[in-house]
Amino acid sequence: MRTLDDLEVQGRRVLVRVDFNVPLHDGEVADDTRIRAALPTIEELRERGARIVLASHLGRPKDREPELSLRPVADRLAELSGADVTFAPGVVGDDVRALADNLAPGDILVLENLRYEPGETRNDDRLARALAGLADAYVDDAFGAAHRAHASTEGVTHHLRDRAAGLLLQREVETLTGILSEPARPLVAVVGGAKVTDKLGVLDRFLELADTILVGGAMCFPFLRAQGHEVGDSLCAAEDLEPARRVLEAAREDGRARLELPSDLVLGDRFAAEAEKRALDGVDVPDGWMGLDIGPKTAERYAEVIARAGTVFWNGPMGAFELEPFAAGTRAVAEAVAAAPGTTVVGGGDSAAALEQFGLADRVTHLSTGGGASLELIEGKVLPGVEALA
Ligand code: ADP
Ligand code: MG
């Protein structure tokens, strides 16, 4: 993968694909984490005298909905970077081209929402060519979009051969591939959240690579059901049972990771903060109740495994952490990950939100910004946006 060190940028127009897909509230940026995450690349390019054209998608516009304009993002970037920031009222076209041509070294042009152009997600070659026409070199710093072959992540690289990974994308790829190829042992994968089917590829890969897999969240119920336990009203899709059975079977083969499941739970009578709550020492959930968190014994056992790990990868909360009565298991695991002496990597939007909620986001080695992209990388899939930078 080419990096910024491989790129000549002085005085040149550099198209940078960033992930500015931020939450907006009343026309203002509600959380600027992703904008700040792109600053190191932007700052390095400015210091090296590049003329910068930034491109991002925002939300899923069906048309050119003005509520999904990148203008407020450009305003926030101007505050954060102190740079001269111009906003382009479109993605491509003669007017936009003229704005790009007029940039002085260190100046920034922010393009309008890429998805205002229907060709973006279709990887339309005419759009890719027009984007490439705005610049002399291309940098991709949008790890969260790297698993999609879109005009701005893949197509454009066919027309701008001078290309490189930005610092954020580089760190994401190097950290995630690093913990898979030569992890400090033991390698412990903590997998929670919902839907076994979505995370099956990740479980399969960790069965081969990890020493221990700790399962929590709603993920555990198909496994417990497959072992013959009652799950009551817990989240447990019929379609997840067969995959869970298969994973349990595979885990019994030699040389596979040890798969650990909860041994106690916290139950609620419904998915709500006001739900009636009770502890269950065991995993047979009575009818009328649902498992909404791992119990304290399980949390303690998991925390001990995490404390002894050389490397921890965590994706998916241990319970319905958004509901205060059912947050304790996720909090205990988050605290264990934060305190662990080994390398700790966390991926997934809700897992990241949980870390933020507990004030522990800066206590892990790496907090991945790309949920889907990080899972696909772990599954061993080739990410089109990364391959395009080879
Ligand atoms: P991530 O975004 O980190 O990949 P997921 O999206 O897979 O995580 O899962 C997060 C969601 O799973 C949360 O909304 C949480 O409430 C829910 N969840 C976790 N455990 C349970 C459970 N036992 N029952 C119902 N929902 C759960
Ligand atoms: Mg999620």
PDB file of all heavy atoms in Angstrom, residues 190-226:
ATOM      1  N   VAL A 190     -13.336 -10.631  21.684  1.00  0.00           N
ATOM      2  CA  VAL A 190     -14.575 -10.466  22.446  1.00  0.00           C
ATOM      3  C   VAL A 190     -15.645 -10.068  21.443  1.00  0.00           C
ATOM      4  O   VAL A 190     -15.543  -9.025  20.800  1.00  0.00           O
ATOM      5  CB  VAL A 190     -14.428  -9.362  23.518  1.00  0.00           C
ATOM      6  CG1 VAL A 190     -15.645  -9.350  24.430  1.00  0.00           C
ATOM      7  CG2 VAL A 190     -13.140  -9.540  24.313  1.00  0.00           C
ATOM      8  N   VAL A 191     -16.635 -10.926  21.266  1.00  0.00           N
ATOM      9  CA  VAL A 191     -17.638 -10.674  20.227  1.00  0.00           C
ATOM     10  C   VAL A 191     -19.024 -10.632  20.853  1.00  0.00           C
ATOM     11  O   VAL A 191     -19.453 -11.581  21.522  1.00  0.00           O
ATOM     12  CB  VAL A 191     -17.578 -11.750  19.120  1.00  0.00           C
ATOM     13  CG1 VAL A 191     -18.518 -11.373  17.981  1.00  0.00           C
ATOM     14  CG2 VAL A 191     -16.155 -11.899  18.587  1.00  0.00           C
ATOM     15  N   GLY A 192     -19.700  -9.514  20.657  1.00  0.00           N
ATOM     16  CA  GLY A 192     -21.043  -9.360  21.209  1.00  0.00           C
ATOM     17  C   GLY A 192     -21.953  -8.667  20.224  1.00  0.00           C
ATOM     18  O   GLY A 192     -21.759  -8.764  19.016  1.00  0.00           O
ATOM     19  N   GLY A 193     -22.913  -7.921  20.760  1.00  0.00           N
ATOM     20  CA  GLY A 193     -23.866  -7.250  19.888  1.00  0.00           C
ATOM     21  C   GLY A 193     -24.941  -8.207  19.437  1.00  0.00           C
ATOM     22  O   GLY A 193     -25.250  -9.176  20.128  1.00  0.00           O
ATOM     23  N   ALA A 194     -25.492  -7.918  18.271  1.00  0.00           N
ATOM     24  CA  ALA A 194     -26.619  -8.702  17.795  1.00  0.00           C
ATOM     25  C   ALA A 194     -26.267  -9.414  16.488  1.00  0.00           C
ATOM     26  O   ALA A 194     -25.276  -9.107  15.851  1.00  0.00           O
ATOM     27  CB  ALA A 194     -27.823  -7.773  17.603  1.00  0.00           C
ATOM     28  N   LYS A 195     -27.069 -10.383  16.094  1.00  0.00           N
ATOM     29  CA  LYS A 195     -26.998 -11.061  14.800  1.00  0.00           C
ATOM     30  C   LYS A 195     -25.726 -11.876  14.528  1.00  0.00           C
ATOM     31  O   LYS A 195     -24.706 -11.361  14.084  1.00  0.00           O
ATOM     32  CB  LYS A 195     -27.209 -10.062  13.671  1.00  0.00           C
ATOM     33  CG  LYS A 195     -28.648  -9.618  13.572  1.00  0.00           C
ATOM     34  CD  LYS A 195     -29.168  -9.615  12.149  1.00  0.00           C
ATOM     35  CE  LYS A 195     -29.603 -10.940  11.713  1.00  0.00           C
ATOM     36  NZ  LYS A 195     -30.365 -11.304  10.682  1.00  0.00           N
ATOM     37  N   VAL A 196     -25.808 -13.146  14.794  1.00  0.00           N
ATOM     38  CA  VAL A 196     -24.703 -14.058  14.524  1.00  0.00           C
ATOM     39  C   VAL A 196     -24.341 -14.042  13.044  1.00  0.00           C
ATOM     40  O   VAL A 196     -23.161 -14.035  12.673  1.00  0.00           O
ATOM     41  CB  VAL A 196     -25.087 -15.499  14.928  1.00  0.00           C
ATOM     42  CG1 VAL A 196     -23.996 -16.477  14.564  1.00  0.00           C
ATOM     43  CG2 VAL A 196     -25.374 -15.572  16.408  1.00  0.00           C
ATOM     44  N   THR A 197     -25.372 -14.006  12.175  1.00  0.00           N
ATOM     45  CA  THR A 197     -25.116 -14.119  10.729  1.00  0.00           C
ATOM     46  C   THR A 197     -24.155 -13.032  10.243  1.00  0.00           C
ATOM     47  O   THR A 197     -23.275 -13.312   9.447  1.00  0.00           O
ATOM     48  CB  THR A 197     -26.434 -14.050   9.922  1.00  0.00           C
ATOM     49  OG1 THR A 197     -27.398 -13.345  10.702  1.00  0.00           O
ATOM     50  CG2 THR A 197     -26.974 -15.426   9.642  1.00  0.00           C
ATOM     51  N   ASP A 198     -24.313 -11.783  10.763  1.00  0.00           N
ATOM     52  CA  ASP A 198     -23.439 -10.697  10.323  1.00  0.00           C
ATOM     53  C   ASP A 198     -21.992 -10.907  10.748  1.00  0.00           C
ATOM     54  O   ASP A 198     -21.083 -10.414  10.101  1.00  0.00           O
ATOM     55  CB  ASP A 198     -23.900  -9.356  10.925  1.00  0.00           C
ATOM     56  CG  ASP A 198     -25.153  -8.841  10.251  1.00  0.00           C
ATOM     57  OD1 ASP A 198     -25.632  -9.501   9.314  1.00  0.00           O
ATOM     58  OD2 ASP A 198     -25.654  -7.786  10.671  1.00  0.00           O
ATOM     59  N   LYS A 199     -21.811 -11.602  11.869  1.00  0.00           N
ATOM     60  CA  LYS A 199     -20.464 -11.691  12.433  1.00  0.00           C
ATOM     61  C   LYS A 199     -19.875 -13.095  12.307  1.00  0.00           C
ATOM     62  O   LYS A 199     -18.840 -13.404  12.888  1.00  0.00           O
ATOM     63  CB  LYS A 199     -20.480 -11.224  13.891  1.00  0.00           C
ATOM     64  CG  LYS A 199     -20.926  -9.772  13.975  1.00  0.00           C
ATOM     65  CD  LYS A 199     -20.767  -9.106  15.311  1.00  0.00           C
ATOM     66  CE  LYS A 199     -21.328  -7.695  15.234  1.00  0.00           C
ATOM     67  NZ  LYS A 199     -21.288  -6.986  16.515  1.00  0.00           N
ATOM     68  N   LEU A 200     -20.550 -13.917  11.505  1.00  0.00           N
ATOM     69  CA  LEU A 200     -20.115 -15.299  11.342  1.00  0.00           C
ATOM     70  C   LEU A 200     -18.711 -15.387  10.741  1.00  0.00           C
ATOM     71  O   LEU A 200     -17.875 -16.169  11.203  1.00  0.00           O
ATOM     72  CB  LEU A 200     -21.104 -16.024  10.427  1.00  0.00           C
ATOM     73  CG  LEU A 200     -21.092 -17.530  10.525  1.00  0.00           C
ATOM     74  CD1 LEU A 200     -21.464 -17.973  11.918  1.00  0.00           C
ATOM     75  CD2 LEU A 200     -22.058 -18.113   9.500  1.00  0.00           C
ATOM     76  N   GLY A 201     -18.455 -14.580   9.732  1.00  0.00           N
ATOM     77  CA  GLY A 201     -17.140 -14.578   9.079  1.00  0.00           C
ATOM     78  C   GLY A 201     -16.047 -14.218  10.066  1.00  0.00           C
ATOM     79  O   GLY A 201     -14.948 -14.774  10.034  1.00  0.00           O
ATOM     80  N   VAL A 202     -16.363 -13.287  10.959  1.00  0.00           N
ATOM     81  CA  VAL A 202     -15.400 -12.856  11.963  1.00  0.00           C
ATOM     82  C   VAL A 202     -15.142 -13.982  12.966  1.00  0.00           C
ATOM     83  O   VAL A 202     -13.999 -14.257  13.346  1.00  0.00           O
ATOM     84  CB  VAL A 202     -15.928 -11.592  12.673  1.00  0.00           C
ATOM     85  CG1 VAL A 202     -15.076 -11.219  13.860  1.00  0.00           C
ATOM     86  CG2 VAL A 202     -15.992 -10.440  11.680  1.00  0.00           C
ATOM     87  N   LEU A 203     -16.231 -14.663  13.381  1.00  0.00           N
ATOM     88  CA  LEU A 203     -16.066 -15.788  14.313  1.00  0.00           C
ATOM     89  C   LEU A 203     -15.222 -16.895  13.676  1.00  0.00           C
ATOM     90  O   LEU A 203     -14.340 -17.458  14.312  1.00  0.00           O
ATOM     91  CB  LEU A 203     -17.436 -16.343  14.713  1.00  0.00           C
ATOM     92  CG  LEU A 203     -18.239 -15.503  15.689  1.00  0.00           C
ATOM     93  CD1 LEU A 203     -19.640 -16.068  15.855  1.00  0.00           C
ATOM     94  CD2 LEU A 203     -17.542 -15.441  17.048  1.00  0.00           C
ATOM     95  N   ASP A 204     -15.497 -17.195  12.406  1.00  0.00           N
ATOM     96  CA  ASP A 204     -14.740 -18.239  11.713  1.00  0.00           C
ATOM     97  C   ASP A 204     -13.247 -17.917  11.688  1.00  0.00           C
ATOM     98  O   ASP A 204     -12.411 -18.758  11.954  1.00  0.00           O
ATOM     99  CB  ASP A 204     -15.246 -18.394  10.260  1.00  0.00           C
ATOM    100  CG  ASP A 204     -16.496 -19.254  10.188  1.00  0.00           C
ATOM    101  OD1 ASP A 204     -16.711 -20.044  11.136  1.00  0.00           O
ATOM    102  OD2 ASP A 204     -17.252 -19.124   9.219  1.00  0.00           O
ATOM    103  N   ARG A 205     -12.945 -16.658  11.353  1.00  0.00           N
ATOM    104  CA  ARG A 205     -11.534 -16.261  11.269  1.00  0.00           C
ATOM    105  C   ARG A 205     -10.877 -16.348  12.642  1.00  0.00           C
ATOM    106  O   ARG A 205      -9.755 -16.845  12.774  1.00  0.00           O
ATOM    107  CB  ARG A 205     -11.436 -14.837  10.716  1.00  0.00           C
ATOM    108  CG  ARG A 205     -10.035 -14.409  10.313  1.00  0.00           C
ATOM    109  CD  ARG A 205      -9.729 -14.744   8.880  1.00  0.00           C
ATOM    110  NE  ARG A 205      -8.302 -14.704   8.553  1.00  0.00           N
ATOM    111  CZ  ARG A 205      -7.615 -13.606   8.242  1.00  0.00           C
ATOM    112  NH1 ARG A 205      -8.223 -12.450   8.208  1.00  0.00           N
ATOM    113  NH2 ARG A 205      -6.325 -13.663   7.963  1.00  0.00           N
ATOM    114  N   PHE A 206     -11.581 -15.899  13.678  1.00  0.00           N
ATOM    115  CA  PHE A 206     -10.994 -15.934  15.014  1.00  0.00           C
ATOM    116  C   PHE A 206     -10.890 -17.355  15.562  1.00  0.00           C
ATOM    117  O   PHE A 206     -10.030 -17.637  16.380  1.00  0.00           O
ATOM    118  CB  PHE A 206     -11.741 -15.012  15.969  1.00  0.00           C
ATOM    119  CG  PHE A 206     -11.323 -13.575  15.862  1.00  0.00           C
ATOM    120  CD1 PHE A 206     -12.242 -12.569  15.678  1.00  0.00           C
ATOM    121  CD2 PHE A 206      -9.978 -13.221  15.947  1.00  0.00           C
ATOM    122  CE1 PHE A 206     -11.849 -11.241  15.578  1.00  0.00           C
ATOM    123  CE2 PHE A 206      -9.567 -11.905  15.848  1.00  0.00           C
ATOM    124  CZ  PHE A 206     -10.508 -10.905  15.659  1.00  0.00           C
ATOM    125  N   LEU A 207     -11.780 -18.252  15.107  1.00  0.00           N
ATOM    126  CA  LEU A 207     -11.638 -19.655  15.520  1.00  0.00           C
ATOM    127  C   LEU A 207     -10.278 -20.171  15.087  1.00  0.00           C
ATOM    128  O   LEU A 207      -9.642 -20.970  15.767  1.00  0.00           O
ATOM    129  CB  LEU A 207     -12.722 -20.523  14.879  1.00  0.00           C
ATOM    130  CG  LEU A 207     -14.056 -20.625  15.583  1.00  0.00           C
ATOM    131  CD1 LEU A 207     -15.000 -21.509  14.792  1.00  0.00           C
ATOM    132  CD2 LEU A 207     -13.895 -21.169  17.008  1.00  0.00           C
ATOM    133  N   GLU A 208      -9.806 -19.695  13.929  1.00  0.00           N
ATOM    134  CA  GLU A 208      -8.511 -20.129  13.421  1.00  0.00           C
ATOM    135  C   GLU A 208      -7.356 -19.379  14.056  1.00  0.00           C
ATOM    136  O   GLU A 208      -6.292 -19.950  14.285  1.00  0.00           O
ATOM    137  CB  GLU A 208      -8.459 -19.912  11.907  1.00  0.00           C
ATOM    138  CG  GLU A 208      -9.541 -20.693  11.194  1.00  0.00           C
ATOM    139  CD  GLU A 208      -9.161 -21.025   9.769  1.00  0.00           C
ATOM    140  OE1 GLU A 208      -8.092 -20.565   9.327  1.00  0.00           O
ATOM    141  OE2 GLU A 208      -9.938 -21.732   9.116  1.00  0.00           O
ATOM    142  N   LEU A 209      -7.545 -18.072  14.309  1.00  0.00           N
ATOM    143  CA  LEU A 209      -6.409 -17.236  14.690  1.00  0.00           C
ATOM    144  C   LEU A 209      -6.281 -16.994  16.188  1.00  0.00           C
ATOM    145  O   LEU A 209      -5.180 -16.844  16.704  1.00  0.00           O
ATOM    146  CB  LEU A 209      -6.526 -15.860  14.021  1.00  0.00           C
ATOM    147  CG  LEU A 209      -6.460 -15.807  12.502  1.00  0.00           C
ATOM    148  CD1 LEU A 209      -6.662 -14.376  12.035  1.00  0.00           C
ATOM    149  CD2 LEU A 209      -5.118 -16.346  12.016  1.00  0.00           C
ATOM    150  N   ALA A 210      -7.423 -16.934  16.883  1.00  0.00           N
ATOM    151  CA  ALA A 210      -7.382 -16.502  18.282  1.00  0.00           C
ATOM    152  C   ALA A 210      -7.134 -17.680  19.219  1.00  0.00           C
ATOM    153  O   ALA A 210      -7.231 -18.850  18.828  1.00  0.00           O
ATOM    154  CB  ALA A 210      -8.697 -15.814  18.647  1.00  0.00           C
ATOM    155  N   ASP A 211      -6.798 -17.351  20.461  1.00  0.00           N
ATOM    156  CA  ASP A 211      -6.670 -18.378  21.491  1.00  0.00           C
ATOM    157  C   ASP A 211      -7.987 -18.560  22.222  1.00  0.00           C
ATOM    158  O   ASP A 211      -8.362 -19.675  22.568  1.00  0.00           O
ATOM    159  CB  ASP A 211      -5.552 -17.978  22.465  1.00  0.00           C
ATOM    160  CG  ASP A 211      -4.214 -17.882  21.735  1.00  0.00           C
ATOM    161  OD1 ASP A 211      -3.637 -18.931  21.446  1.00  0.00           O
ATOM    162  OD2 ASP A 211      -3.790 -16.756  21.402  1.00  0.00           O
ATOM    163  N   THR A 212      -8.684 -17.456  22.444  1.00  0.00           N
ATOM    164  CA  THR A 212      -9.983 -17.525  23.135  1.00  0.00           C
ATOM    165  C   THR A 212     -10.972 -16.553  22.479  1.00  0.00           C
ATOM    166  O   THR A 212     -10.587 -15.444  22.104  1.00  0.00           O
ATOM    167  CB  THR A 212      -9.823 -17.125  24.623  1.00  0.00           C
ATOM    168  OG1 THR A 212      -8.790 -17.923  25.204  1.00  0.00           O
ATOM    169  CG2 THR A 212     -11.115 -17.339  25.394  1.00  0.00           C
ATOM    170  N   ILE A 213     -12.220 -16.996  22.349  1.00  0.00           N
ATOM    171  CA  ILE A 213     -13.297 -16.106  21.911  1.00  0.00           C
ATOM    172  C   ILE A 213     -14.301 -16.005  23.051  1.00  0.00           C
ATOM    173  O   ILE A 213     -14.784 -17.026  23.556  1.00  0.00           O
ATOM    174  CB  ILE A 213     -14.016 -16.647  20.652  1.00  0.00           C
ATOM    175  CG1 ILE A 213     -13.023 -16.841  19.499  1.00  0.00           C
ATOM    176  CG2 ILE A 213     -15.143 -15.704  20.222  1.00  0.00           C
ATOM    177  CD1 ILE A 213     -13.641 -17.489  18.259  1.00  0.00           C
ATOM    178  N   LEU A 214     -14.581 -14.788  23.483  1.00  0.00           N
ATOM    179  CA  LEU A 214     -15.566 -14.556  24.539  1.00  0.00           C
ATOM    180  C   LEU A 214     -16.834 -14.034  23.884  1.00  0.00           C
ATOM    181  O   LEU A 214     -16.803 -13.005  23.211  1.00  0.00           O
ATOM    182  CB  LEU A 214     -15.032 -13.520  25.534  1.00  0.00           C
ATOM    183  CG  LEU A 214     -13.645 -13.807  26.147  1.00  0.00           C
ATOM    184  CD1 LEU A 214     -13.164 -12.607  26.972  1.00  0.00           C
ATOM    185  CD2 LEU A 214     -13.699 -15.063  27.015  1.00  0.00           C
ATOM    186  N   VAL A 215     -17.939 -14.737  24.061  1.00  0.00           N
ATOM    187  CA  VAL A 215     -19.186 -14.340  23.404  1.00  0.00           C
ATOM    188  C   VAL A 215     -20.132 -13.714  24.416  1.00  0.00           C
ATOM    189  O   VAL A 215     -20.358 -14.258  25.501  1.00  0.00           O
ATOM    190  CB  VAL A 215     -19.868 -15.554  22.731  1.00  0.00           C
ATOM    191  CG1 VAL A 215     -21.172 -15.123  22.049  1.00  0.00           C
ATOM    192  CG2 VAL A 215     -18.934 -16.199  21.715  1.00  0.00           C
ATOM    193  N   GLY A 216     -20.684 -12.552  24.054  1.00  0.00           N
ATOM    194  CA  GLY A 216     -21.661 -11.885  24.918  1.00  0.00           C
ATOM    195  C   GLY A 216     -22.728 -11.219  24.073  1.00  0.00           C
ATOM    196  O   GLY A 216     -22.807 -11.449  22.868  1.00  0.00           O
ATOM    197  N   GLY A 217     -23.539 -10.379  24.704  1.00  0.00           N
ATOM    198  CA  GLY A 217     -24.601  -9.695  23.968  1.00  0.00           C
ATOM    199  C   GLY A 217     -25.654 -10.678  23.499  1.00  0.00           C
ATOM    200  O   GLY A 217     -25.699 -11.837  23.922  1.00  0.00           O
ATOM    201  N   ALA A 218     -26.494 -10.223  22.588  1.00  0.00           N
ATOM    202  CA  ALA A 218     -27.547 -11.096  22.063  1.00  0.00           C
ATOM    203  C   ALA A 218     -26.944 -12.244  21.250  1.00  0.00           C
ATOM    204  O   ALA A 218     -27.596 -13.266  21.033  1.00  0.00           O
ATOM    205  CB  ALA A 218     -28.524 -10.284  21.215  1.00  0.00           C
ATOM    206  N   MET A 219     -25.685 -12.066  20.812  1.00  0.00           N
ATOM    207  CA  MET A 219     -24.953 -13.109  20.100  1.00  0.00           C
ATOM    208  C   MET A 219     -24.980 -14.462  20.809  1.00  0.00           C
ATOM    209  O   MET A 219     -24.888 -15.514  20.180  1.00  0.00           O
ATOM    210  CB  MET A 219     -23.461 -12.726  20.035  1.00  0.00           C
ATOM    211  CG  MET A 219     -23.073 -11.751  18.996  1.00  0.00           C
ATOM    212  SD  MET A 219     -22.974 -12.507  17.388  1.00  0.00           S
ATOM    213  CE  MET A 219     -21.550 -13.557  17.579  1.00  0.00           C
ATOM    214  N   CYS A 220     -25.039 -14.440  22.150  1.00  0.00           N
ATOM    215  CA  CYS A 220     -24.856 -15.696  22.890  1.00  0.00           C
ATOM    216  C   CYS A 220     -26.077 -16.606  22.815  1.00  0.00           C
ATOM    217  O   CYS A 220     -25.956 -17.821  22.992  1.00  0.00           O
ATOM    218  CB  CYS A 220     -24.461 -15.429  24.344  1.00  0.00           C
ATOM    219  SG  CYS A 220     -25.770 -14.737  25.359  1.00  0.00           S
ATOM    220  N   PHE A 221     -27.263 -16.047  22.518  1.00  0.00           N
ATOM    221  CA  PHE A 221     -28.472 -16.882  22.638  1.00  0.00           C
ATOM    222  C   PHE A 221     -28.597 -17.988  21.596  1.00  0.00           C
ATOM    223  O   PHE A 221     -28.997 -19.102  21.946  1.00  0.00           O
ATOM    224  CB  PHE A 221     -29.719 -16.001  22.744  1.00  0.00           C
ATOM    225  CG  PHE A 221     -29.678 -15.177  24.003  1.00  0.00           C
ATOM    226  CD1 PHE A 221     -29.457 -13.814  23.965  1.00  0.00           C
ATOM    227  CD2 PHE A 221     -29.775 -15.810  25.240  1.00  0.00           C
ATOM    228  CE1 PHE A 221     -29.349 -13.075  25.133  1.00  0.00           C
ATOM    229  CE2 PHE A 221     -29.674 -15.078  26.416  1.00  0.00           C
ATOM    230  CZ  PHE A 221     -29.446 -13.707  26.362  1.00  0.00           C
ATOM    231  N   PRO A 222     -28.270 -17.751  20.340  1.00  0.00           N
ATOM    232  CA  PRO A 222     -28.278 -18.882  19.404  1.00  0.00           C
ATOM    233  C   PRO A 222     -27.328 -20.003  19.840  1.00  0.00           C
ATOM    234  O   PRO A 222     -27.637 -21.189  19.666  1.00  0.00           O
ATOM    235  CB  PRO A 222     -27.834 -18.252  18.083  1.00  0.00           C
ATOM    236  CG  PRO A 222     -28.177 -16.809  18.214  1.00  0.00           C
ATOM    237  CD  PRO A 222     -27.995 -16.482  19.668  1.00  0.00           C
ATOM    238  N   PHE A 223     -26.197 -19.635  20.439  1.00  0.00           N
ATOM    239  CA  PHE A 223     -25.252 -20.647  20.919  1.00  0.00           C
ATOM    240  C   PHE A 223     -25.849 -21.422  22.093  1.00  0.00           C
ATOM    241  O   PHE A 223     -25.791 -22.649  22.144  1.00  0.00           O
ATOM    242  CB  PHE A 223     -23.931 -19.990  21.339  1.00  0.00           C
ATOM    243  CG  PHE A 223     -23.133 -19.465  20.180  1.00  0.00           C
ATOM    244  CD1 PHE A 223     -23.169 -18.125  19.841  1.00  0.00           C
ATOM    245  CD2 PHE A 223     -22.359 -20.326  19.410  1.00  0.00           C
ATOM    246  CE1 PHE A 223     -22.439 -17.642  18.767  1.00  0.00           C
ATOM    247  CE2 PHE A 223     -21.627 -19.858  18.336  1.00  0.00           C
ATOM    248  CZ  PHE A 223     -21.673 -18.507  18.014  1.00  0.00           C
ATOM    249  N   LEU A 224     -26.429 -20.677  23.051  1.00  0.00           N
ATOM    250  CA  LEU A 224     -27.011 -21.334  24.224  1.00  0.00           C
ATOM    251  C   LEU A 224     -28.196 -22.216  23.810  1.00  0.00           C
ATOM    252  O   LEU A 224     -28.368 -23.329  24.311  1.00  0.00           O
ATOM    253  CB  LEU A 224     -27.441 -20.279  25.255  1.00  0.00           C
ATOM    254  CG  LEU A 224     -26.280 -19.492  25.891  1.00  0.00           C
ATOM    255  CD1 LEU A 224     -26.809 -18.331  26.737  1.00  0.00           C
ATOM    256  CD2 LEU A 224     -25.392 -20.408  26.733  1.00  0.00           C
ATOM    257  N   ARG A 225     -28.984 -21.693  22.860  1.00  0.00           N
ATOM    258  CA  ARG A 225     -30.128 -22.471  22.364  1.00  0.00           C
ATOM    259  C   ARG A 225     -29.636 -23.766  21.695  1.00  0.00           C
ATOM    260  O   ARG A 225     -30.187 -24.846  21.917  1.00  0.00           O
ATOM    261  CB  ARG A 225     -30.921 -21.616  21.366  1.00  0.00           C
ATOM    262  CG  ARG A 225     -32.182 -22.272  20.838  1.00  0.00           C
ATOM    263  CD  ARG A 225     -33.329 -22.093  21.833  1.00  0.00           C
ATOM    264  NE  ARG A 225     -34.416 -23.055  21.597  1.00  0.00           N
ATOM    265  CZ  ARG A 225     -34.429 -24.301  22.104  1.00  0.00           C
ATOM    266  NH1 ARG A 225     -33.435 -24.752  22.854  1.00  0.00           N
ATOM    267  NH2 ARG A 225     -35.453 -25.100  21.863  1.00  0.00           N
ATOM    268  N   ALA A 226     -28.568 -23.620  20.899  1.00  0.00           N
ATOM    269  CA  ALA A 226     -28.008 -24.789  20.205  1.00  0.00           C
ATOM    270  C   ALA A 226     -27.473 -25.824  21.194  1.00  0.00           C
ATOM    271  O   ALA A 226     -27.430 -27.011  20.896  1.00  0.00           O
ATOM    272  CB  ALA A 226     -26.900 -24.344  19.245  1.00  0.00           C
TER     273      ALA A 226
END
